[in-house]
Amino acid sequence: MAKNGSNLLEAKAEIARRDYESASTLVEEEIKALRANTPNLPFEKTKLAEVEINKFFYEGKAVDRIMIVLRSNGCQHYKTNGGCSMCAHLNGAPLTEKITHQNYVEQWNSVLDGSFLEGEKRDFSLNDFPVVCVYNLGSLLNSEEIQVETVKYIFGTLNAYKGVRKVIIESRAEYVKDEILAAIKEVYDGVVEVGIGVESTDFMVRELCHHKAIEDTVILTEAVDTLHKYGMKALAYVNFKPVFLTEKEAIDDAIKTSVDCFRKFHFDAVSVEPTSLQENSLANYMYELGLYRVPWLWSLRDIIHGIYDEIDSLKLDIRLGGYFDEEVLSGSQGAGFADRNEIFPHMTSSNCSHCTNEFVDAIKQFNMTYDVRDLDLVKPCKHCYKLWQETKKIKDSRSITERIHDILGKE
């Protein structure tokens, strides 16, 4: 009897494995088909993709932050496996040319000397920005995307700007290694924070809904431990509401993932990133089919409260990504989506036309205080609040693999 029971469990496990692999293949094939439409635009390799200024909460007060996006070679996960389901940053990378070390140096030097500025000229110095973000539309710690000598050059020059208190970069977890962190520490002695896309700590959600290619979360533990060994900060990105999830499932997953990031993996900060829509992404494709809606802003309040309900602390570093009062100094956003706005989403999370702007203002305030009471000040909207509440009641009895087969399966 015990043997029969064991055989039954093994058979069920084999069926589940095949269902997962089949669903995973469907997702990746669809993403790669969409990526085939990515235009090969004639980017100038010596010019930055984008530079903007916004406010950021640091050391107890709001400060000016500058975000510098390098025109880069693009994310390796994107090129190899199709990338994540919500992302289309490869829209902003040259597809057939290589950005060399010298190209990157010329881009970066245009920041140092202010020559990147578009429009009316102004006095510019990195010393005016306590927080500097340096992004490459991928992993700044991956030597296949951007050379180690380039990273050292950037950080080496930053070390001369003592007005800069903190530098934020991004990388997938597998590239957070001793060699590259040691190279940075060799030339830079300021605070470094590395943003890592966790998205979800639920395996099925992370791999099928996000298409993240993180098979084992031990890599997150190793990445955070390595960052802390070099005195660096670890920031977790939690993408809220991927494809194939209901609104309530997405809320619950974002809460659990954020709590896991703090408690289990010991990230220093969590940024909840509501899904936005970019061309040539699976999320955008699902939206065009009428099978996906960007998340409701009301849901973000549920998530923040849910995290604090689980972790009784007033000192959590929780951010809501994507909402800033930004001043564009150079690059894609300054020209409009149709012409040059290749990396900027055409739709972000929203409520209705009557209350979205008010809630976005509350998010901006929250991002400068991390105080959930800023979100609570938004009163329920008579036009959409009840609709959102009803949306949260929607359930889907199908498994994630069943949903994927029903939506993406070919006859």
Side-chain angles (χ1 to χ4, degrees), residues 113-250:
D113 63 21
S115 62
F116 75 94
L117 289 165
E118 295 179 352
E120 184 179 347
K121 295 302 179 183
R122 57 190 283 179
D123 292 332
F124 177 85
S125 173
L126 281 178
N127 271 324
D128 295 333
F129 303 98
V131 179
V132 173
C133 299
V134 184
Y135 301 146
N136 70 322
L137 304 176
S139 297
L140 202 78
L141 302 182
N142 179 12
S143 61
E144 295 297 317
E145 297 177 31
I146 182 169
Q147 299 90 328
V148 175
E149 63 176 327
T150 309
V151 176
K152 287 188 69 174
Y153 177 77
I154 290 171
F155 275 96
T157 58
L158 278 169
N159 209 45
Y161 293 87
K162 299 308 178 184
V164 176
R165 305 288 303 281
K166 180 178 186 177
V167 179
I168 302 175
I169 62 174
E170 296 177 345
S171 176
R172 284 178 60 88
E174 60 262 37
Y175 306 123
V176 180
K177 300 295 185 182
D178 286 275
E179 295 80 8
I180 184 64
L181 299 188
I184 292 172
K185 289 294 287 187
E186 181 183 330
V187 296
Y188 185 72
D189 54 21
V191 177
V192 178
E193 181 177 85
V194 180
I196 296 173
V198 175
E199 320 312 355
S200 175
T201 51
D202 181 287
F203 176 82
M204 297 295 278
V205 173
R206 185 178 64 254
E207 298 310 303
L208 294 181
C209 301
H210 294 286
H211 194 246
K212 194 66 188 180
I214 298 178
E215 292 288 324
D216 191 339
T217 55
V218 69
I219 198 170
L220 300 175
T221 301
E222 292 172 350
V224 174
D225 287 349
T226 304
L227 287 170
H228 289 166
K229 181 169 71 172
Y230 287 90
M232 298 181 183
K233 302 291 186 181
L235 164 66
Y237 292 127
V238 176
N239 180 240
F240 167 49
K241 200 181 179 187
V243 291
F244 308 123
L245 293 190
T246 68
E247 191 82 13
K248 184 62 167 61
E249 288 171 340

Side-chain angles (χ1 to χ4, degrees), residues 224-349:
V224 174
D225 287 349
T226 304
L227 287 170
H228 289 166
K229 181 169 71 172
Y230 287 90
M232 298 181 183
K233 302 291 186 181
L235 164 66
Y237 292 127
V238 176
N239 180 240
F240 167 49
K241 200 181 179 187
V243 291
F244 308 123
L245 293 190
T246 68
E247 191 82 13
K248 184 62 167 61
E249 288 171 340
I251 292 169
D252 292 343
D253 182 71
I255 293 170
K256 181 183 183 302
T257 297
S258 299
V259 171
D260 284 346
C261 286
F262 282 122
R263 282 184 169 167
K264 183 177 179 180
F265 300 108
H266 307 295
F267 279 89
D268 302 287
V270 167
S271 183
V272 178
E273 305 282 329
T275 298
S276 56
L277 299 181
Q278 294 173 284
E279 298 291 340
N280 310 311
S281 68
L282 181 59
N284 192 63
Y285 173 69
M286 296 278 287
Y287 165 77
E288 291 176 340
L289 292 178
L291 297 173
Y292 179 80
R293 185 200 188 277
V294 290
W296 289 81
L297 295 176
W298 299 113
S299 298
L300 295 176
R301 189 161 61 186
D302 278 16
I303 292 171
I304 300 301
H305 275 291
I307 296 169
Y308 275 109
D309 287 345
E310 291 291 326
I311 303 177
D312 185 16
S313 171
L314 297 178
K315 297 181 179 180
L316 294 180
D317 187 341
I318 306 176
R319 310 165 195 173
L320 293 176
Y323 297 95
F324 310 100
D325 282 321
E326 58 211 11
E327 178 188 1
V328 178
L329 301 183
S330 174
S332 309
Q333 287 187 42
F337 177 76
D339 297 323
R340 291 174 55 212
N341 207 347
E342 65 280 348
I343 63 175
F344 197 62
H346 66 82
M347 182 180 295
T348 56
S349 55

